[in-house]
Amino acid sequence: GVEPHDYEPSAKDMAELQNADVFVYSGKGMEPFIEKMQNSIRSEKLTYIEASKNIEAINDADPHVWLNVENAKLELLEIKNKLSELNPKDAVIYKTNYEQHAKKLDELHVKYKESLENLDKKDIVVTHEAYGYLCDAYGLNQVAISGISAENEPTPARMAEIIKIVRDKHISYIFFEELASTKVAQAIANECGVKTLVLNPFEGFAENDVPKNYFDVMEENLNALTTALKN
């Protein structure tokens, strides 16, 4: 229910972490609170696992590495390896679970490549500059209304620039996300006479939503992308 770039652990969260064995986080700046947490929690048994440790950054400001499905697999591998080191007696379980999910990720990656590579349109207009890794992996180009933070309001000049791009490139859909305000996306869509669609960066869920897993969200995103880029 919270935009993750603004999230801060509560005092209760911090107290519970004193008793934890492992804290897994994505990294690459996704969790700005992590350094403060590490300095605050004095627990010799707590191990931190940075899932994106072995992923090459394409943009130092963009932490959304998992939207490239191959990166999600690398994060999974890092978690599996570290848990196996910490708890060798269950290493076979971690390996089995990793292999099952890695296979599904390979299939999803191929589906993305095959679905998107032959489409004539490649430009997507998004409210939030979160899709650099997705676009880099699958040959798309993101045009972001605001920056890395979904809450930043674009200037009037940027709004005019986006409207011109939408018209010049015959873009049919403006993408928004559920955790951020839809006001700007809708205003541009109304001005250009186009539609809106959800593109989910998989950062979190609205407070009353039933959480979905990564595969469900990425399948929905692929359907949204193909709908937008075919029209």
Side-chain angles (χ1 to χ4, degrees):
V2 179
E3 223 292 321
H5 300 285
D6 304 323
Y7 171 76
E8 286 283 341
S10 67
K12 182 171 179 273
D13 293 331
M14 297 289 276
E16 288 178 345
L17 280 165
Q18 295 281 0
N19 300 314
D21 296 310
V22 178
F23 183 82
V24 181
Y25 65 106
S26 187
K28 297 284 187 287
M30 187 66 215
E31 299 87 358
F33 58 81
I34 195 72
E35 188 175 342
K36 178 180 171 184
M37 175 188 286
Q38 289 172 324
N39 291 333
S40 299
I41 295 175
R42 303 298 179 189
S43 171
E44 293 184 3
K45 72 171 187 171
L46 179 58
T47 298
Y48 293 86
I49 298 177
E50 182 182 5
S52 67
K53 181 180 177 183
N54 294 313
I55 294 172
E56 184 177 350
I58 62 166
N59 177 345
D60 289 339
D62 184 354
H64 307 86
V65 296
W66 58 87
L67 294 177
N68 173 345
V69 178
E70 290 190 306
N71 284 346
K73 185 178 171 183
L74 288 173
E75 291 202 291
L76 200 65
L77 179 64
E78 180 68 16
I79 295 166
K80 185 269 290 184
N81 287 343
K82 286 291 188 288
L83 289 179
S84 298
E85 289 173 16
L86 292 168
N87 186 28
K89 70 181 178 64
D90 287 331
V92 172
I93 295 172
Y94 304 139
K95 181 174 182 289
T96 300
N97 288 342
Y98 166 76
E99 289 173 350
Q100 288 174 351
H101 287 84
K103 183 175 183 292
K104 289 175 68 178
L105 288 167
D106 287 339
E107 292 167 354
L108 182 63
H109 174 64
V110 170
K111 189 173 181 181
Y112 260 75
K113 294 284 278 189
E114 291 178 348
S115 299
L116 298 175
E117 65 184 2
N118 295 319
L119 296 176
D120 291 334
K121 290 184 179 180
K122 299 294 182 183
D123 298 292
I124 59 171
V125 175
V126 296
T127 54
H128 174 200
E129 195 178 355
Y131 305 95
Y133 288 92
L134 185 151
C135 289
D136 184 65
Y138 305 113
L140 305 180
N141 173 50
Q142 76 170 332
V143 179
I145 297 169
S146 64
I148 293 296
S149 173
E151 298 303 319
N152 289 344
E153 288 281 336
T155 63
R158 182 59 178 163
M159 289 278 284
E161 185 180 353
I162 295 290
I163 289 167
K164 185 175 187 306
I165 290 169
V166 171
R167 288 173 172 160
D168 289 351
K169 291 183 176 289
H170 306 290
I171 289 167
S172 304
Y173 288 85
I174 310 295
F175 287 111
F176 69 95
E177 59 192 74
E178 291 173 326
L179 281 182
S181 170
T182 63
K183 181 177 68 174
V184 174
Q186 195 61 59
I188 291 172
N190 291 345
E191 177 68 24
C192 297
V194 300
K195 299 175 183 177
T196 58
L197 266 176
V198 173
L199 193 64
N200 190 341
F202 201 59
E203 294 179 341
F205 296 100
E207 199 165 358
N208 296 319
D209 278 0
V210 176
K212 301 170 186 173
N213 66 40
Y214 177 83
F215 296 98
D216 291 339
V217 168
M218 291 299 284
E219 288 279 2
E220 288 174 0
N221 281 348
L222 183 56
N223 289 337
L225 286 166
T226 52
T227 296
L229 295 172
K230 281 179 179 176
N231 291 282

